[in-house]
Amino acid sequence: MSNREVVVLSVGGVKFVTRASTLQQFPESRLARMLSDDDQDFKLMNGEFFVDRDGTLFSYIMDFLRTLQVSLPTDFSDYQRLRREAEFYELCPLADLLRQEHLLKPRLEILEVHFSLQEMQAFFRIFGSCSTTVETLAEQITVFTGQQPGHSWNSPFPSQKPLIPLPLERPSHHDMVFQCGTDYSAGDQFVARYVSIKPDNRKLINGTNVLGLLLDTLLKDGFRLISTRTASSEEKAECYSFERMKRPAGLTLTVNQTPGSSSIVQAKRSQVQKGK
């Protein structure tokens, strides 16, 4: 039985087909020993191993064996039951990871966009409860400055003059500040600030256009607009509040194995893709 290449399991009526090497990822587990030991909890019937356990939860067991990672849906809540299944199969590394329930549970994330329009300038301040999200969003936003004649929102993009990118103001890890529009400089020249938000390649100077693109970017990133309010009618300031359920950075946990030694459990932070 230990030389069997393809193994079929029927767990609680749900069929799984996998390689023997997958079940043998952790030699000390019951799934690995099942291929060679006579275990009354694993009955071999018509070429299939029958296991009287929860088949739905076993799908997460198999995903862990195949990827050596724990990736659970945002609405998952059966942590204790899944841990009990991991303990039944004697997958100690998985059971240990599931005990770190605080790392696995998604959390509610809040983000606010403050927008103020003053004559030919628009001011933005973004505050987020998750500093990682704010950092990622800051990498998507670039402000360019340059001089141009005229002072209209609809002034054409001054392609003949190079624009200089400016760093965003970061009062803290949880917020950022930037502005766009034009401001009087000297003579008939005006200092213009353009905003570009990836993956959109346009450089926008109109504050309303920048606001629309920013809100659309957040909606596409999984945020939900929950409220819009006027923060200050005198200053024409508005506040847009968003929320989304987000996995913590440490959700994806990896088990590293070293040859000839016991498994080493390590929590690895998920890598945030730039521009997302």
Side-chain angles (χ1 to χ4, degrees), residues 25-28 256-264:
Q25 286 278 13
F26 299 91
E28 68 278 8
N256 295 330
Q257 291 178 295
T258 57
S261 64
S262 301
S263 303
I264 301 175

Side-chain angles (χ1 to χ4, degrees), residues 109-140:
E109 181 180 357
I110 303 296
L111 190 141
E112 288 190 348
V113 176
H114 294 258
F115 171 68
S116 176
L117 185 61
Q118 300 177 12
E119 296 182 352
M120 304 309 298
Q121 297 182 79
F123 299 86
F124 293 83
R125 182 162 190 163
I126 302 174
F127 174 84
S129 59
C130 178
S131 60
T132 303
T133 297
V134 175
E135 186 69 33
T136 302
L137 186 60
E139 293 178 358
Q140 295 179 246

Side-chain angles (χ1 to χ4, degrees), residues 69-71 103-104 248-254 266-270:
Q69 294 180 339
V70 179
S71 299
L103 293 178
L104 299 171
L251 177 65
T252 301
L253 302 172
T254 303
Q266 294 181 338
K268 296 184 66 177
R269 294 186 178 275
S270 303

